[in-house]
Amino acid sequence: MSPMKCCRSSSESEPSTPEKEKQIEAEVEANPNNPGGRARWSSPTEFMLTCVGYSVGLGNVWRFPYLCYKSGGGAFLIPYVIMMFLIGMPLLFMEYAFGQYFGVGGLTIFKKVCPLFQGVGIGYMVLNGLVCIYYNVIIATALYYLFASLQKTLPWSTCDNPWNTPACGDPVSMNMTAYNNETYSNSTSYFNGITSTAFPGSDNYTFIGNRTSPSDEYFRLEVLNVDETHSISNLGHIQWKLCLCLLLAWILVVIFVSRGIKSTGKVAYFTATFPYVMLTVLVIRGVSLPGAQNGILYFVKPDWEHLKSPDVWFGAASQLFYSTNLAWGGMITMASYNDFRHNCFRDAIVINIVSFCTSLYAGFAVFSIIGYMANEYGMDVKEVIKSGPGLAFIAYPRAISLMPIPQLWSVLFFFMLFLLGVGSQMVQVETIMTGIVDQWPVLALSKRRRFTVVLAVCSTGLLMGLAMTTQGGMYVLQLMDWYSASFSVLIIAMIECIVINWIYGRLRVC
């Protein structure tokens, strides 16, 4: 069978004629709110808030600020804005338009467009499935910290806990002081055997001077309970507290997506808006702290030399795909529930701008706290900043413990992290659900059948995520993150553009 017969290319038929357009209009007029019996968003606002909750996630809180810092501060904004206009807005509009026109999810849409490339839809499902597994582990870690914040004293604020080592302490000098009647002149050597057990994306340890911060030891030695004996071949035993938090995270996801977009859209009113309230509170509190201006200046001050580096431009492009969830299939799925005449062109522009502004806003919140932390430690800002989850689970908890009423700020911060994570997780699970239901419509004939499928999908994610709650589970998480949601997204995006614009045909798209 030739490719021309496998793919519905633009050469097989002319673009839509006025008669065809009138026929489509007549079908929509017959049932404008629900053509074909497919579920629809209750209002355009629910669609917008769900997409905002999907695109604005955990990466906006630490990944964008850190990339901005590492790539020359404000200079990073230039390639990011260029990428947003050249890639983000047109590609998101293309996905919105296709999903809204065909009214099916990512798994089956390419069966209609070009059957030869149905693998793109399968790629969407595999990508979202793998990311769902480890993404919920990060959400579970946020819940772990949220519950720990309810204690009378934050457990990561002191060095008198059972898990602390002689290296724990505030960075008051370069030489270790007596601890438990013993003196250690160089604490770095104390940890030489376990210098690769950090959380994926973070530096090895938060060594400040010759000490480790209490929040660092809490994360490694209490939450993860990892030492030099654990590796990818020796995961150790399950951390039951973290495992129970993972179970709770999946139960909440089941509840949120149990009724499809009807429940997802209603939950989005809270999950998509409340983080902005918390970010505003944290920004106001952060900028009022001594030394905050140093952190903010470090965040926005451009270093123009970095623009010569290809890594900065690649980082801007990868962050754009990460923050707007392009080529993940989720935006196609969400748009498939839109009314046929919905203005998705406007939404594509708004979502890109909102995601960018949220990243900037989160940067001010994060770096104002980092500046305060540097001021308290008497250090330079660049010695305090950590990347990835290390920023959220090591540096930020330590800064919060130094504030007045630390329990309150800790609860607010980690509750915000939970909402940012669960907003994206709901859409990822809904993307998988929509693909399954579109492929086997019999599963959508009753709410009970749909709930059974949701329960099966989430139970599978829970069981596969148990390995990441072990002592060496962060090795597994790092492998999944590196090989599932990085280069593969770029490949899917390239194939997606080729199929839609050159095989299906740009004239037919227009």
Side-chain angles (χ1 to χ4, degrees):
M1 183 180 295
S2 66
M4 293 298 293
K5 293 185 179 296
C6 292
C7 300
R8 301 182 178 97
S9 71
S10 56
S11 60
E12 293 184 30
S13 62
E14 296 297 326
S16 298
T17 62
E19 291 75 14
K20 178 62 175 178
E21 292 178 1
K22 289 180 180 180
Q23 179 183 352
I24 294 175
E25 289 289 332
E27 293 175 356
V28 175
E29 289 290 349
N31 193 358
N33 295 321
N34 193 10
R38 186 176 179 80
R40 289 290 182 261
W41 297 104
S42 300
S43 68
T45 303
E46 290 188 4
F47 168 71
M48 177 67 73
L49 289 177
T50 302
C51 289
V52 168
Y54 182 35
S55 61
V56 177
L58 295 172
N60 295 79
V61 175
W62 61 66
R63 197 171 189 266
F64 183 92
Y66 176 73
L67 284 176
C68 207
Y69 149 75
K70 186 180 71 172
S71 304
F76 178 78
L77 304 180
I78 296 176
Y80 187 89
V81 171
I82 293 175
M83 295 292 180
M84 183 175 67
F85 281 100
L86 294 182
I87 300 176
M89 292 182 180
L91 188 56
L92 184 57
F93 174 50
M94 183 187 74
E95 292 192 354
Y96 276 163
F98 247 61
Q100 184 170 308
Y101 183 87
F102 286 102
V104 293
L107 181 61
T108 57
I109 192 169
F110 283 91
K111 186 177 182 180
K112 292 176 173 288
V113 174
C114 182
L116 183 63
F117 285 88
Q118 293 181 62
V120 177
I122 298 175
Y124 289 152
M125 297 299 105
V126 174
L127 175 62
N128 281 276
L130 292 175
V131 172
C132 276
I133 295 171
Y134 74 81
Y135 201 79
N136 232 21
V137 176
I138 300 177
I139 296 174
T141 307
L143 287 174
Y144 190 107
Y145 272 80
L146 176 62
F147 295 138
S149 303
L150 302 176
Q151 300 181 35
K152 185 177 181 180
T153 301
L154 294 180
W156 55 83
S157 63
T158 63
C159 289
D160 56 359
N161 301 289
W163 58 82
N164 290 126
T165 68
C168 179
D170 291 320
V172 294
S173 66
M174 294 299 293
N175 296 320
M176 287 295 294
T177 56
Y179 186 91
N180 289 340
N181 298 324
E182 294 182 286
T183 301
Y184 293 82
S185 60
N186 187 351
S187 67
T188 304
S189 62
Y190 185 84
F191 291 104
N192 276 343
I194 51 173
T195 56
S196 61
T197 56
F199 203 93
S202 69
D203 293 344
N204 288 336
Y205 294 114
T206 312
F207 285 113
I208 305 175
N210 277 346
R211 299 191 178 189
T212 54
S213 67
S215 61
D216 183 308
E217 294 200 348
Y218 178 77
F219 181 66
R220 291 185 291 107
L221 305 179
E222 169 64 9
V223 178
L224 303 182
N225 193 19
V226 65
D227 58 37
E228 68 276 7
T229 65
H230 300 115
S231 64
I232 190 67
S233 59
N234 180 25
L235 298 180
H237 60 77
I238 290 178
Q239 294 292 94
W240 288 108
K241 292 181 181 178
L242 188 59
C243 179
L244 292 176
C245 289
L246 180 63
L247 174 61
L248 175 61
W250 276 113
I251 290 175
L252 293 175
V253 171
V254 170
I255 295 174
F256 293 157
V257 302
S258 59
R259 296 184 56 199
I261 62 168
K262 295 300 181 181
S263 58
T264 303
K266 296 298 185 294
V267 174
Y269 278 104
F270 183 72
T271 60
T273 56
F274 187 74
Y276 289 98
V277 178
M278 290 297 95
L279 279 177
T280 301
V281 172
L282 291 172
V283 167
I284 295 175
R285 176 56 184 165
V287 298
S288 65
L289 295 171
Q293 67 275 9
N294 296 329
I296 294 175
L297 182 63
Y298 200 93
F299 172 52
V300 301
K301 184 179 179 180
D303 183 353
W304 303 110
E305 289 296 319
H306 281 76
L307 288 177
K308 299 178 182 179
S309 172
D311 292 338
V312 175
W313 293 83
F314 179 78
S318 64
Q319 175 62 21
L320 178 68
F321 277 87
Y322 193 90
S323 61
T324 54
N325 293 281
L326 296 172
W328 287 62
M331 292 303 189
I332 291 178
T333 300
M334 295 300 101
S336 70
Y337 295 107
N338 273 337
D339 182 83
F340 187 80
R341 294 174 173 175
H342 181 75
N343 188 352
C344 58
F345 177 76
R346 174 199 61 204
D347 292 346
I349 297 175
V350 171
I351 292 298
N352 274 274
I353 294 176
V354 168
S355 179
F356 174 63
C357 292
T358 303
S359 297
L360 284 180
Y361 203 37
F364 282 106
V366 169
F367 275 83
S368 61
I369 301 298
I370 294 296
Y372 165 70
M373 193 174 178
N375 182 72
E376 289 293 304
Y377 283 175
M379 304 168 56
D380 191 83
V381 174
K382 66 180 179 181
E383 298 178 32
V384 181
I385 298 173
K386 298 297 176 182
S387 64
L391 179 62
F393 297 122
I394 296 178
Y396 221 116
R398 180 56 179 159
I400 291 174
S401 68
L402 300 175
M403 294 183 182
I405 321 178
Q407 292 86 351
L408 174 62
W409 298 111
S410 184
V411 167
L412 293 178
F413 176 73
F414 288 108
F415 186 56
M416 180 192 70
L417 282 188
F418 165 73
L419 292 180
L420 288 172
V422 80
S424 300
Q425 182 76 349
M426 286 191 306
V427 179
Q428 291 171 1
V429 174
E430 186 61 46
T431 300
I432 299 173
M433 284 299 306
T434 301
I436 295 174
V437 170
D438 286 345
Q439 187 69 25
W440 297 283
V442 67
L443 298 176
L445 294 180
S446 66
K447 294 181 180 179
R448 182 176 180 179
R449 290 186 181 181
R450 192 186 192 286
F451 179 78
T452 302
V453 177
V454 171
L455 193 60
V457 169
C458 293
S459 298
T460 302
L462 171 64
L463 293 176
M464 298 185 70
L466 290 178
M468 282 169 276
T469 64
T470 60
Q471 292 172 285
M474 293 303 106
Y475 290 107
V476 181
L477 191 150
Q478 186 174 15
L479 285 174
M480 293 189 67
D481 179 54
W482 181 257
Y483 289 104
S484 64
S486 55
F487 191 69
S488 59
V489 177
L490 178 61
I491 297 297
I492 292 175
M494 293 173 62
I495 297 176
E496 180 184 86
C497 291
I498 291 173
V499 171
I500 293 177
N501 291 285
W502 284 314
I503 299 179
Y504 183 76
R506 61 181 178 84
L507 294 179
R508 297 185 71 185
V509 173
C510 291

